[in-house]
Amino acid sequence: METQLRDNSSSREIPFRIWRKLRLGVVRALYPILPQRLYMRWLTAGLRAYGMKISGVPIYISPKCWFDGTDYGLIEIEDKVVISTNVSILTHDFS
């Protein structure tokens, strides 16, 4: 009797997605008490986990900026970038 192996990738992906959002939210919430370098290191690691292409080290990314969540792989952040407060980065035109 053969046993069928089930693909558990979808059941593992849901907790991973929750962990990514939770981790990024915690980093942004701790921004006021974290040193700048530690905040940027944790934030860039969280954004890379979402699939963003980050090359180099951004100088500053505000915790109050908003990235469009349709496809993080379309967003590329280069070295020495500053993204200020209330900036929205979109990957589509809302048409």
Side-chain angles (χ1 to χ4, degrees), residues 3-83:
T3 59
Q4 293 181 348
L5 297 175
R6 293 186 311 192
D7 182 19
N8 291 332
S9 62
S10 62
S11 64
R12 289 181 191 160
E13 189 171 323
I14 293 171
F16 181 70
R17 278 189 282 158
I18 292 170
W19 167 243
R20 281 191 314 201
K21 286 186 179 187
L22 180 64
R23 181 171 81 178
L24 201 55
V26 167
V27 169
R28 286 184 171 178
L30 291 176
Y31 167 72
I33 60 173
L34 288 177
Q36 168 96 20
R37 287 185 178 186
L38 184 60
Y39 163 74
M40 286 305 300
R41 188 178 318 150
W42 286 0
L43 183 67
T44 54
L47 294 175
R48 280 187 180 115
Y50 271 106
M52 282 189 200
K53 300 170 192 133
I54 300 175
S55 59
V57 180
I59 293 176
Y60 177 71
I61 299 174
S62 172
K64 295 182 180 179
C65 69
W66 183 74
F67 294 100
D68 180 24
T70 55
D71 189 1
Y72 288 102
L74 295 175
I75 301 171
E76 187 171 340
I77 298 174
E78 296 289 329
D79 192 29
K80 298 181 181 177
V81 168
V82 174
I83 300 176

